[in-house]
């Protein structure tokens, strides 16, 4: 007799079966420990060393400054690293290295341009290869298709900025703010407001540029600017907030997500949200069909009542004072200096260090860092300066415990392995945007993070969601696609568009040639160098030997099987036989290292 299942039992059966047949890649990569940091054992016979008390704090780091510490700093402040940068920072020392990373040149990147003319003629007659960011459509009946192309190009352009970043924290900081105070490009485009369908790309670009230009600046000023940024006005609907029809969306999020948080000390009430919504009435984007677009105060749309806040805000009343009420409200939020500063420092910590904040870290890192934040009048740069020069940042408990975000994995790998992400002809804009866009849609979108796409106003869950935080990046679906990306860049593929082909493939010989000649010829030294640069934590001597034997020695046991092959190639690099032997073995070695679970960490 056929067995019948209720709906509930059927689902239970399906999910239990899934548990019984777990994906081995998922099992290898996922992090099982949600609490304190754990080192995996270096040798199979050793016990995993669980760190129970991480007591390091913000005292200046005085330990060894070497390649490992430089790579740790670069992994957290850059998307990947360039080999050529590492030795320079080792020689410069800690203070100079951090200072240089926190020094952002006053340069403006080349703007996004019309790359799409060959497919769809720009409806505003912006020429091919020209900047569209200052062009506005003054009619909502035209420009909608062009705007879609511009949004697609904006996502690709932002990815290009990350790939072509300079040796400073600018791009990593831009995306910190973007995930923390986000907009979704498409949500802004489809909002029910006149001219959004044809002009949203332009104001979305301005929104991101605000972060790119002010990422290390004054947090209070940044929040004030965000409050009236046109893209945010549409994204969280303060554009529709009126005295007769109050909209509490932005009022809630500016407190709950952007400044005060939901930690225990944050005790704002629903009544405070209502009062804040009244304060925020009257602000309007009135000239979206022109450039520059601004947000202005419209007195006729403003709630003229007095707004009284809860005991959390000392029962403060903001009296009717027109546009000045917004600044009074921002001042009121920042009067809760302990709450705001500690919340922001926790968010910075979870982005740059690790998700787990226990009592020791709260007391030794978060609280003094927050006090430093307030003492420096809400400037971000001094906070990061103190954190990146601290004992705690370089505590070994913080090496190799953070799962790489998709940006860190994809952009970081492409930069670290010197892949071609810029086309050979800089004037072929369509081909260039196609390459950047393909990286975005082919590799980033499937693993749950992409430029311009935000799941909700809270940002990507990996940066805020208890209890898993960064572990949200890893599931049985994304782990397969992460591994497929690594396979793809070592096996190689072409991106061809508009008559131009860009080959994406790791040049394994060129990459290892960055090491000294003696270390390349010695298979033990070569494996050690590759592990040191590509993995954030060391692996066992046994694992290194296996990597050497299985890859460089082709399962032989004598080191000369590699040394001879390499020396033959060096003596006659045009000999394809010699070249193919070393290329095959190096590819096998680097692919084996990057497919280790440790490569998914930073």
């Amino acid at each position: 007799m056929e067995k019948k299942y209720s709906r509930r039992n059927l689902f239970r059966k399906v999910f239990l079966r899934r548990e019984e047949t777990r994906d081995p890649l998922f099992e290898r990569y996922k992090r099982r420990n949600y609490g304190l940091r754990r080192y995996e054992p270096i040798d199979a016979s050793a016990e995993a060393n669980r760190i129970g008390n991480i007591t390091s704090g913000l005292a200046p780091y005085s330990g060894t400054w070497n390649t490992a510490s430089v790579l740790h700093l670069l992994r957290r402040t850059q998307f990947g690293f360039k080999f050529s940068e590492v030795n320079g920072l080792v020689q410069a020392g800690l203070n100079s290295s951090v200072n240089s990373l926190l020094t952002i040149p006053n340069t403006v990147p080349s703007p996004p341009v019309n790359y799409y003319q060959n497919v769809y003629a720009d409806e505003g007659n912006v020429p091919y290869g020209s900047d569209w960011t200052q062009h506005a459509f003054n009619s909502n009946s035209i420009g909608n298709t062009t705007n879609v192309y511009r949004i697609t190009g904006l996502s690709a352009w932002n990815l290009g900025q990350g790939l072509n970043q300079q040796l400073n924290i600018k791009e990593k900081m831009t995306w910190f703010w973007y995930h923390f105070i986000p907009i979704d490009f498409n949500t802004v485009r489809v909002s029910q407001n006149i001219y959004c369908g044809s002009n949203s790309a332009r104001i979305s670009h301005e929104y991101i540029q605000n972060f790119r230009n002010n990422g290390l600046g004054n947090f209070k000023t940044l929040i004030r600017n965000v409050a009236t940024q046109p893209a945010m006005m549409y994204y969280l609907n303060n554009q529709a907030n009126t005295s007769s029809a109050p909209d509490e969306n932005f009022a809630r999020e500016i407190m709950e997500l952007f400044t005060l948080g939901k930690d225990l000390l944050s005790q704002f009430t629903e009544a405070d949200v209502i009062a804040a919504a009244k304060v925020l009435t009257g602000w309007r984007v009135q000239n979206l069909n022109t450039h520059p677009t601004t947000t202005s105060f419209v007195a006729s749309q403003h709630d003229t009542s007095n707004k009284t806040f809860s005991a959390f805000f000392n029962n403060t009343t903001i009296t009717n004072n027109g546009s000045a009420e917004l600044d009074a409200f921002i001042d009121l939020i920042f009067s809760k200096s302990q709450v705001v500063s500690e919340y922001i420092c926790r968010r910075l910590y979870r982005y740059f260090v690790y998700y787990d904040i226990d009592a020791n870290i709260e007391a030794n890192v978060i609280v003094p860092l927050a006090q430093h934040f307030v003492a420096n009048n809400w400037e971000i740069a001094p906070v990061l300066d103190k954190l990146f020069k601290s004992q705690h940042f370089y505590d070994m408990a913080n090496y190799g415990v953070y799962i790489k975000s998709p940006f860190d994995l994809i952009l970081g790998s492409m930069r670290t392995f010197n892949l071609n992400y810029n086309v050979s002809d800089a004037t072929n804009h369509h081909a260039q945007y196609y390459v950047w866009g393909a990286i975005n849609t082919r590799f980033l979108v499937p693993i749950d993070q992409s430029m311009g796409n935000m799941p909700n106003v809270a940002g990507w869950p990996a940066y805020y969601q208890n209890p898993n935080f960064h572990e949200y990046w890893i599931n049985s679906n994304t782990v397969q696609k992460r591994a497929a990306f690594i396979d793809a860049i070592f096996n190689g593929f072409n991106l061809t568009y508009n008559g131009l082909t860009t080959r994406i493939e790791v040049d394994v010989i060129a990459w290892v040639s960055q090491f000294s000649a003696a270390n390349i010829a010695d298979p033990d030294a070569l494996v050690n160098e590759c592990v040191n640069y590509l993995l954030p934590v060391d692996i066992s001597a046994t694992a290194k030997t296996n990597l050497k034997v299985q890859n460089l020695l082709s399962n032989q046991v004598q080191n000369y099987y590699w040394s001879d092959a390499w020396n033959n190639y060096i003596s006659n690099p045009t000999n394809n036989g010699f070249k193919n032997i070393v290329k095959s073995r190096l590819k096998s070695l680097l692919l084996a290292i990057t497919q280790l679970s440790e490569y998914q960490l930073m």
Side-chain angles (χ1 to χ4, degrees), residues 473-585:
W473 295 131
I474 297 293
N475 57 55
S476 58
N477 176 49
T478 61
V479 75
Q480 297 282 355
K481 292 179 170 62
R482 283 173 171 247
F485 161 74
I486 294 170
D487 280 335
I489 63 174
F490 280 98
N491 290 318
F493 58 95
N494 292 331
L495 293 176
T496 301
Y497 204 79
N498 200 29
L500 191 63
T501 295
T502 300
R503 179 69 177 174
I504 310 292
E505 182 179 2
V506 177
D507 186 336
V508 293
I509 294 177
W511 195 81
V512 301
S513 294
Q514 298 174 112
F515 301 124
S516 71
N519 282 343
I520 302 172
D522 179 343
D524 291 301
L526 179 56
V527 169
N528 200 55
E529 288 277 55
C530 292
V531 166
N532 289 343
Y533 274 84
L534 296 176
L535 303 182
V537 290
D538 203 2
I539 57 178
S540 69
T542 300
K544 290 180 184 178
T545 298
N546 289 338
L547 286 170
K548 178 186 72 171
V549 170
Q550 294 168 9
N551 300 289
L552 295 181
L553 305 187
S554 299
N555 290 312
Q556 301 299 319
V557 294
Q558 298 299 326
N559 281 356
Y560 66 77
Y561 279 97
W562 167 253
S563 300
D564 286 354
W566 179 255
N567 290 329
N568 286 339
Y569 164 72
I570 290 298
S571 65
N572 191 0
T574 60
N575 184 303
N576 286 332
F578 293 159
K579 181 178 180 179
N580 289 335
I581 288 172
V582 298
K583 181 179 178 180
S584 175
R585 295 185 191 181

Side-chain angles (χ1 to χ4, degrees), residues 195-324:
Y195 304 126
C196 262
S198 55
N199 287 281
S200 66
R202 184 170 48 82
I203 61 172
S204 295
H205 170 259
E206 291 171 359
Y207 188 81
I208 300 297
Q209 286 302 95
N210 183 45
F211 294 148
R212 187 168 274 117
N213 295 335
N214 302 291
L216 292 179
N218 189 277
F219 176 60
K220 185 176 180 181
T221 301
L222 190 73
I223 289 294
R224 174 60 180 83
N225 289 342
V226 164
T228 54
Q229 277 281 320
M232 179 57 77
M233 291 289 294
Y234 293 117
Y235 182 58
L236 289 185
N237 216 32
N238 206 50
Q239 179 76 2
N241 185 14
T242 66
S243 56
S244 59
D247 189 298
E248 299 171 4
N249 204 0
F250 180 70
R252 184 182 310 280
E253 308 308 359
I254 193 175
M255 292 189 286
E256 183 172 301
L257 295 179
F258 306 158
T259 57
L260 295 165
K262 297 183 287 186
D263 296 315
L264 292 178
L265 291 180
S266 183
Q267 297 292 322
F268 70 90
T269 66
E270 191 65 23
D272 291 328
V273 174
I274 295 170
K278 293 177 180 179
V279 166
L280 294 165
T281 54
W283 290 95
R284 290 291 179 274
V285 180
Q286 294 184 294
N287 62 336
L288 183 56
N289 61 334
T290 62
H291 179 84
T293 296
T294 57
T295 303
S296 56
F297 183 75
V298 181
S300 62
Q301 299 291 333
H302 184 60
D303 187 310
T304 58
S305 67
N306 293 333
K307 296 86 177 174
T308 300
F309 290 79
S310 70
F312 176 69
F313 290 111
N314 299 320
N315 300 308
T316 298
T317 296
I318 295 179
T319 58
N320 177 36
N321 197 18
S323 62

Side-chain angles (χ1 to χ4, degrees), residues 277-489:
K278 293 177 180 179
V279 166
L280 294 165
T281 54
W283 290 95
R284 290 291 179 274
V285 180
Q286 294 184 294
N287 62 336
L288 183 56
N289 61 334
T290 62
H291 179 84
T293 296
T294 57
T295 303
S296 56
F297 183 75
V298 181
S300 62
Q301 299 291 333
H302 184 60
D303 187 310
T304 58
S305 67
N306 293 333
K307 296 86 177 174
T308 300
F309 290 79
S310 70
F312 176 69
F313 290 111
N314 299 320
N315 300 308
T316 298
T317 296
I318 295 179
T319 58
N320 177 36
N321 197 18
S323 62
E325 291 182 35
L326 173 55
D327 290 304
F329 174 57
I330 298 294
D331 287 340
L332 184 63
I333 289 176
F334 281 82
S335 71
K336 307 303 295 183
S337 59
Q338 180 185 358
V339 181
V340 174
S341 62
E342 291 181 1
Y343 173 61
I344 302 306
C345 287
R346 291 186 196 102
R347 294 301 297 257
L348 288 166
Y349 184 89
R350 285 178 170 136
Y351 186 77
F352 286 109
V353 185
Y354 193 55
Y355 77 92
D356 182 36
I357 300 175
D358 61 14
N360 285 309
I361 294 168
E362 182 74 17
N364 297 329
V365 179
I366 302 301
V367 170
L369 199 61
Q371 292 168 349
H372 188 65
F373 192 17
V374 175
N376 281 276
N377 193 33
W378 304 109
E379 293 290 328
I380 291 292
V383 176
L384 295 180
D385 181 79
K386 182 170 280 292
L387 179 62
F388 295 151
K389 292 177 180 177
S390 70
Q391 290 180 354
H392 183 77
F393 186 78
Y394 300 97
D395 192 313
M396 283 306 299
N398 294 321
Y399 283 63
V401 292
Y402 197 125
I403 296 173
K404 290 175 180 173
S405 72
F407 287 172
D408 286 301
L409 177 67
I410 306 300
L411 277 68
S413 296
M414 297 196 75
R415 294 185 73 250
T416 297
F417 284 111
N418 303 315
L419 290 168
N420 292 325
Y421 39 76
N422 295 323
V423 299
S424 58
D425 179 3
T427 66
N428 195 332
H429 305 290
H430 211 154
Q432 181 62 84
Y433 278 70
Y434 173 76
V435 168
W436 289 340
I439 295 167
N440 195 35
T441 57
R442 180 171 176 174
F443 296 121
L444 285 167
V445 171
I447 55 176
D448 297 339
Q449 190 179 36
S450 60
M451 300 289 181
N453 295 328
M454 194 58 66
N456 56 61
V457 69
W460 291 297
Y463 295 118
Y464 68 86
Q465 186 65 64
N466 273 310
N468 293 14
F469 289 96
H470 62 156
E471 297 177 28
Y472 281 102
W473 295 131
I474 297 293
N475 57 55
S476 58
N477 176 49
T478 61
V479 75
Q480 297 282 355
K481 292 179 170 62
R482 283 173 171 247
F485 161 74
I486 294 170
D487 280 335
I489 63 174

